[in-house]
């Protein structure tokens, strides 16, 4: 239902179509589950522990962000009623992809120093 509302709002151009939509799960997603456009919040014991998604820079690598504050580094993911995630702080890949981006209300915003801003072509 939320997905339908989100699609209608983006079709009406009232919101930007999100690059990522949150799904709350209790197990780490398998590589097959990890479809582009989904951000998995892995919960255990009622706590959000990890955020997992495919790198939007196109290397396709699984990104796993720790949401547990006592680990370093850690991130905060807030999800709005349209299931659009906002991630703080930014995410920087240290692989060949070298992408650096923010996720705000489900949309990927590339940083000026990002080595990749769109899917890698190869
Ligand atoms: Zn990448």
């Amino acid at each position: 239902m939320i997905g339908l509302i989100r699609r209608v709002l983006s079709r009406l151009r009232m919101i930007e179509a999100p690059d990522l939509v949150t799904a709350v799960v209790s197990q780490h997603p398998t590589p097959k589950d990890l479809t582009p456009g989904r951000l998995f919040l892995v919960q255990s014991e009622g706590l959000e522990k990890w955020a997992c998604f495919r790198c939007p820079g196109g290397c396709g690598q699984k990104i796993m962000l720790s949401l547990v504050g006592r680990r370093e580094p850690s991130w905060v993911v807030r999800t709005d009623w349209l299931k659009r995630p906002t991630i703080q702080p930014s995410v920087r890949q240290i692989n060949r992809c070298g992408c650096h981006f923010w996720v705000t209300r489900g949309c990927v915003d590339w940083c000026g120093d990002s080595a990749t801003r769109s899917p890698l072509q190869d």
Side-chain angles (χ1 to χ4, degrees), residues 21-96:
V21 172
T22 298
V24 178
V25 292
S26 55
Q27 307 244 318
H28 273 277
T30 65
K32 220 167 79 185
D33 294 334
L34 210 66
T35 47
R38 291 254 143 192
L39 177 139
F40 292 90
L41 279 185
V42 183
Q43 275 192 349
S44 79
E45 294 145 25
L47 288 173
E48 290 169 355
K49 299 240 164 123
W50 297 94
C52 306
F53 56 104
R54 273 198 192 280
C55 176
C59 66
Q61 206 178 68
K62 179 180 181 178
I63 293 180
M64 273 179 64
L65 305 178
S66 171
L67 307 178
V68 182
R70 50 176 199 279
R71 278 178 196 257
E72 278 290 322
S74 72
W75 284 261
V76 174
V77 177
R78 281 175 293 126
T79 300
D80 69 10
W81 69 280
L82 289 169
K83 299 203 192 302
R84 297 177 302 174
T86 295
I87 303 176
Q88 279 175 321
S90 63
V91 180
R92 183 194 287 274
Q93 284 272 60
I94 50 173
N95 62 5
R96 178 174 83 90

